[in-house]
């Protein structure tokens, strides 16, 4: 019995030693492909007529014709595409007459379009709720960014929708349930990088 236990422990130790650890170097940002992060947390994907129409109207670039969900774009892309974010939110009527997020409309939208995936619905509603209370401060911070002031003469729309959507994307991936997370090497490297190198990746 003792010999069997020893052999089992030895085999386990060898197995653990054979699993490669994720080595993280914060300076090697080029190894991390943030624009692939939407592959890491399962969400409804494919063609989306609303986001596609808004992209065409605002010259916004979506990843592909089969990756048109709001979660398929990175935080950086959303923040640079304020008119696209506003167009999408306006279509779904997610903002009220005062220009603030209408959580009743958000609940109605996700219950109508994603009732077959209650876990996804819950995760997105939690993300929207968390971001709802931070909208005002986040908008002020966005407007104070040097890049925004530098391009103030360009085509920028009211950034509230993009600020909220960026926050939602960020929280959606950070709170991704284990059952929806892809254990691919790229996703595991990105998560390890995000955990160690704070504030380097905007989406994670």
């Amino acid at each position: 019995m003792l010999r069997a236990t020893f052999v089992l422990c030895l085999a386990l130790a060898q197995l653990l030693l054979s699993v490669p650890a994720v080595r993280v170097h914060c300076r090697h940002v080029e190894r991390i492909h943030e624009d692939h992060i939407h592959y890491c947390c399962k969400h409804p994907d494919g063609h989306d007529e609303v986001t596609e129409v808004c992209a065409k109207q605002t010259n916004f670039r979506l990843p592909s014709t089969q990756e048109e969900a709001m979660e398929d774009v990175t935080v950086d892309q959303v923040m640079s595409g304020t008119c696209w974010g506003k167009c999408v939110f306006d279509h779904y009527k997610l903002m009220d007459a005062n220009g603030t997020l209408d959580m009743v409309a958000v609940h109605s939208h996700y219950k109508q379009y994603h009732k077959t995936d209650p876990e996804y619905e819950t995760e997105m509603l939690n993300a929207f709720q968390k971001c709802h209370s931070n909208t005002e401060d986040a908008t002020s911070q966005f407007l104070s960014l040097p890049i925004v002031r530098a391009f103030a003469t360009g085509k920028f729309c009211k950034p509230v929708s993009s600020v909220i959507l960026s926050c939602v994307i960020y929280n959606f991936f950070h709170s991704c349930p284990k059952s929806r997370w892809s254990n691919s090497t790229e996703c595991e490297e990105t998560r390890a990088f995000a955990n160690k190198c704070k504030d380097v990746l905007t989406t994670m």
Side-chain angles (χ1 to χ4, degrees):
M1 179 68 180
L2 185 61
R3 178 180 174 79
T5 304
F6 174 76
V7 171
L8 180 63
C9 289
L10 183 62
L12 181 60
Q14 289 175 335
L15 178 63
L16 289 172
L17 286 172
S18 67
V19 177
V22 178
R23 306 185 86 177
V24 178
H25 300 284
C26 294
R27 289 176 303 204
H28 297 169
V29 185
E30 70 281 353
R31 286 192 58 203
I32 304 300
H33 300 286
E34 193 170 3
D35 56 339
H36 292 179
I37 195 66
H38 59 281
Y39 296 127
C40 297
C41 192
K42 182 183 175 184
H43 59 278
D45 213 335
H47 172 69
D48 187 310
E49 188 173 342
V50 173
T51 60
E52 186 178 278
V53 168
C54 284
K56 288 178 180 177
Q57 289 178 356
T58 60
N59 293 319
F60 183 81
R61 185 177 179 182
L62 292 167
S64 76
T65 55
Q66 290 304 310
E67 298 168 324
E68 298 183 339
M70 290 187 287
E71 301 88 350
D72 285 333
V73 295
T74 67
V75 169
D76 280 343
Q77 291 167 338
V78 174
M79 293 306 279
S80 65
T82 53
C83 293
W84 176 78
K86 184 178 184 301
C87 177
V88 173
F89 272 44
D90 285 350
H91 176 87
Y92 288 124
K93 296 179 172 61
L94 300 183
M95 308 296 285
D96 61 23
N98 297 318
T100 56
L101 186 66
D102 185 343
M103 283 305 297
V104 174
V106 172
H107 275 267
S108 176
H109 168 76
Y110 280 94
K111 288 190 178 298
Q112 178 183 351
Y113 291 98
H114 302 289
K115 56 187 175 185
T116 58
D117 192 346
E119 184 181 51
Y120 169 76
E121 175 192 325
T122 299
E123 289 301 320
M124 289 301 287
L125 289 176
N126 287 341
F128 267 98
Q129 188 62 56
K130 186 173 182 179
C131 297
H132 178 43
S133 59
N134 299 327
T135 303
E136 191 172 329
D137 288 341
T139 303
S140 297
Q141 290 175 11
F142 172 77
L143 292 174
S144 67
L145 291 174
I147 190 171
V148 175
R149 293 200 302 270
F151 290 96
T153 55
K155 187 165 179 57
F156 271 84
C157 296
K158 289 183 178 179
V160 178
S161 301
S162 287
V163 168
I164 295 170
L165 184 52
S166 297
C167 177
V168 167
I169 292 171
Y170 181 90
N171 280 282
F172 175 72
F173 287 109
H174 267 284
S175 304
C176 186
K178 283 186 177 180
S179 59
R180 305 184 80 89
W181 183 260
S182 169
N183 291 317
S184 68
T185 301
E186 186 173 44
C187 291
E188 289 302 319
E189 283 185 351
T190 302
R191 182 159 60 180
F193 187 91
N195 288 335
K196 182 175 179 180
C197 314
K198 302 295 183 184
D199 301 324
V200 175
L201 301 182
T202 51
T203 304
M204 285 294 287

